[in-house]
């Protein structure tokens, strides 16, 4: 079995969840003994495509012309495109038509959750659609007292200071407006938002809300994975108030680090996250404030161990096994071709 992860456009999406998903696929394949090819060659059997940039459907068609099977990852839907960047609501119907065109270039379509699978089935796509988590590196993202101390030292926080974080692009869909108001309602708590969006793409109402944010809210910008891990470990709670997701890799990161997690109660979490079991869920600023206060002062039960168990169930190794199952069920694994490709590689080195 030989898999090639197409990396066209990776520089563009590298700081987004799609970029992380590509990195996780590499790790998942390696975890089950299927290290991805550096390029598409004669021995490649399956090509993974993760973006909907103009080059991606071209690559999919080229791969199929060369008799490779194409696995197209459906990370995006029209629903999660809305309320994102400037003009996104106007462009959403056109975006839906474009992603349908892209996804139809695949032999198999993969999407992170049963929720996003149901949305895609409503788009009239005729190809097989499976849901498979983006996964999480549970060796990298895990609780650490040292990382907690490093985060608090970096931002000048005392050990007893209550800290809440969120992560994502600066967009309405990610819940930034409610997050800003939540910080305003809880002035004794420090709030941080990690993530960056080009100001040219930020709608005016969102930019105005950011400009008028309270002093206890820090916009920390984009940070690398190590610094983000420190933030999860150093925070007392993770509040992710997104209105729409196809999964939410940052949720898995927080859970893996043992960060108490508050989410907006939206359908994407149905079936894999339980409110009051693995995480807390609420809606509206008043509801978020009441729940978060209970999480911070300890009047609500600690759910972090259950949350970590969810993250472990979506580890890279678990995702790799799920990928292998899908390859097998769709007939993508041709062991005869795989052995021939292996023999060619060995022969070329002699």
């Amino acid at each position: 079995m030989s898999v090639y992860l197409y990396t066209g456009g990776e520089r563009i999406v590298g700081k987004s969840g799609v970029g992380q998903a590509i990195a996780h696929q590499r790790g998942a394949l390696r975890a089950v003994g299927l290290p991805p090819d550096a390029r598409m060659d004669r021995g490649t059997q399956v090509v993974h495509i993760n973006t909907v940039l103009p080059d991606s459907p071209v690559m999919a068609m080229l791969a199929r012309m060369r008799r490779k099977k194409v696995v197209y990852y459906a990370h995006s839907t029209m629903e999660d495109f809305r309320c994102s960047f400037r003009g996104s609501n106007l462009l959403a119907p056109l975006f839906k038509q474009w992603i349908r065109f892209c996804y139809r270039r695949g032999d198999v379509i993969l999407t992170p959750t049963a929720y996003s699978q149901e949305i895609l089935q409503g788009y009239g796509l005729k190809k097989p659609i499976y849901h498979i988590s983006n996964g999480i590196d549970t060796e990298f993202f895990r609780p650490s007292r040292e990382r907690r101390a490093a985060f608090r030292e970096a931002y000048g926080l005392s050990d007893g200071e209550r800290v809440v974080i969120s992560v994502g692009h600066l967009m309405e869909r990610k819940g930034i407006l409610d997050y800003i108001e939540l910080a305003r309602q809880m002035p004794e708590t420090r709030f941080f938002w990690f993530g960056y969006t080009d100001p040219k793409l930020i709608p005016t109402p969102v930019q105005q809300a950011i400009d008028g944010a309270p002093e206890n809210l820090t916009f920390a910008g984009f940070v690398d994975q190590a610094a983000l891990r420190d933030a999860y470990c150093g925070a007392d709670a993770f509040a992710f108030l997104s209105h729409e997701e196809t999964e939410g890799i940052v949720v898995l990161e927080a859970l893996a680090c043992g960060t108490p997690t508050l989410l907006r109660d939206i359908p994407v979490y149905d079936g894999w996250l339980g409110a009051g079991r693995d995480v807390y869920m609420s809606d509206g600023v008043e509801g978020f404030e009441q729940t978060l206060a209970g999480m911070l002062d300890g009047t609500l039960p600690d759910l972090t161990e259950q949350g970590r168990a969810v993250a472990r169930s979506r580890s890279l190794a678990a995702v790799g096994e799920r990928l292998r199952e899908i390859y097998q069920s769709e007939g993508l694994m041709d062991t005869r071709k795989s052995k021939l490709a292996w023999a060619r590689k060995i022969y070329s080195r002699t």
Side-chain angles (χ1 to χ4, degrees):
M1 179 78 188
S2 183
V3 181
Y4 170 60
L5 298 187
Y6 179 58
T7 56
E10 190 171 7
R11 288 186 178 181
I12 297 174
V13 302
K15 295 181 179 180
S16 70
V18 176
Q20 281 304 110
I22 295 171
H24 289 177
Q25 286 165 41
R26 291 192 185 99
L29 289 166
R30 291 187 182 116
V32 293
L34 294 172
D37 292 342
R39 64 181 187 278
M40 183 173 68
D41 58 23
R42 290 180 61 192
T44 300
Q45 294 174 255
V46 177
V47 177
H48 281 205
I49 297 179
N50 282 270
T51 69
V52 293
L53 298 171
D55 60 302
S56 296
V58 174
M59 180 62 191
M61 290 185 281
L62 178 62
R64 295 183 71 180
M65 286 173 59
R66 296 183 180 180
R67 299 184 179 180
K68 317 297 184 186
K69 296 293 185 179
V70 175
V71 172
Y72 217 121
Y73 273 80
H75 297 290
S76 300
T77 64
M78 178 185 70
E79 288 72 10
D80 78 353
F81 182 73
R82 290 194 184 110
C83 299
S84 54
F85 306 111
R86 189 187 295 269
S88 61
N89 288 357
L90 182 64
L91 294 172
L94 292 176
F95 182 73
K96 178 180 178 180
Q97 296 306 314
W98 171 249
I99 60 177
R100 287 176 63 194
F101 172 80
C102 291
Y103 297 157
R104 284 172 174 164
R105 309 283 77 81
D107 295 288
V108 177
I109 301 169
L110 303 186
T111 193
T113 56
Y115 169 73
S116 54
Q117 180 184 23
E118 184 177 357
I119 289 175
L120 293 172
Q121 288 169 338
Y123 287 2
L125 298 169
K126 302 302 182 183
K127 303 298 176 66
I129 304 174
Y130 293 86
H131 66 267
I132 175 173
S133 173
N134 286 309
I136 180 66
D137 185 347
T138 52
E139 293 299 315
F140 183 83
F141 288 100
R142 57 183 179 179
S144 168
R145 291 182 180 178
E146 292 77 15
R147 297 297 94 212
R148 177 181 175 86
F151 168 73
R152 289 183 171 256
E153 180 180 355
Y155 289 92
L157 301 165
S158 66
D159 189 54
E161 201 165 0
R162 299 193 305 184
V163 176
V164 179
I165 69 168
S166 196
V167 181
H169 281 291
L170 302 171
M171 59 176 63
E172 183 179 353
R173 176 175 67 82
K174 291 293 184 179
I176 193 168
L177 299 181
D178 281 351
Y179 193 79
I180 291 172
E181 189 58 32
L182 181 61
R184 199 185 317 279
Q185 297 301 317
M186 303 180 72
E188 302 304 316
T189 301
R190 289 290 304 274
F191 286 78
F192 289 81
W193 184 287
F194 291 90
Y196 171 81
T197 300
D198 187 329
K200 298 183 183 68
L201 300 177
I202 301 175
T204 300
V206 174
Q207 188 61 63
Q208 289 174 341
I210 292 170
D211 293 341
E215 292 184 358
N216 62 320
L217 171 53
T218 299
F219 291 97
F222 175 81
V223 297
D224 63 23
Q225 289 289 284
L228 190 56
R229 174 190 57 188
D230 291 358
Y232 290 124
C233 292
D236 298 298
F238 172 67
F240 189 61
L241 312 183
S242 179
H243 293 269
E244 183 72 28
E245 293 291 322
T246 54
E247 182 178 36
I249 290 178
V250 294
V251 175
L252 293 176
E253 291 171 350
L255 295 178
C257 287
T259 314
T261 296
L262 170 64
L263 306 174
R264 188 183 299 273
D265 191 358
I266 54 177
V268 70
Y269 305 123
D270 291 350
W272 65 281
L273 283 175
R277 183 192 68 197
D278 314 304
V279 299
Y280 285 102
M281 296 186 190
S282 192
D283 206 351
V285 175
E286 183 178 350
F288 293 138
E289 181 184 0
Q290 291 177 355
T291 305
L292 186 57
M295 294 167 64
L296 293 173
D297 64 24
T299 57
L300 288 176
D302 182 354
L303 307 179
T304 53
E305 282 306 310
Q306 296 93 309
R308 288 187 67 200
V310 171
R312 286 193 294 270
S313 73
R314 295 182 173 222
S315 69
L316 297 186
V319 170
E321 290 297 340
R322 172 66 174 152
L323 266 176
R324 194 203 298 273
E325 290 174 3
I326 293 170
Y327 293 154
Q328 291 174 334
S329 67
E330 286 299 319
L332 305 185
M333 295 186 73
D334 186 333
T335 56
R336 183 183 62 84
K337 287 184 179 179
S338 184
K339 289 176 180 177
L340 286 172
W342 175 82
R344 288 192 193 102
K345 289 180 180 179
I346 295 297
Y347 180 77
S348 67
R349 296 171 187 166
T350 61

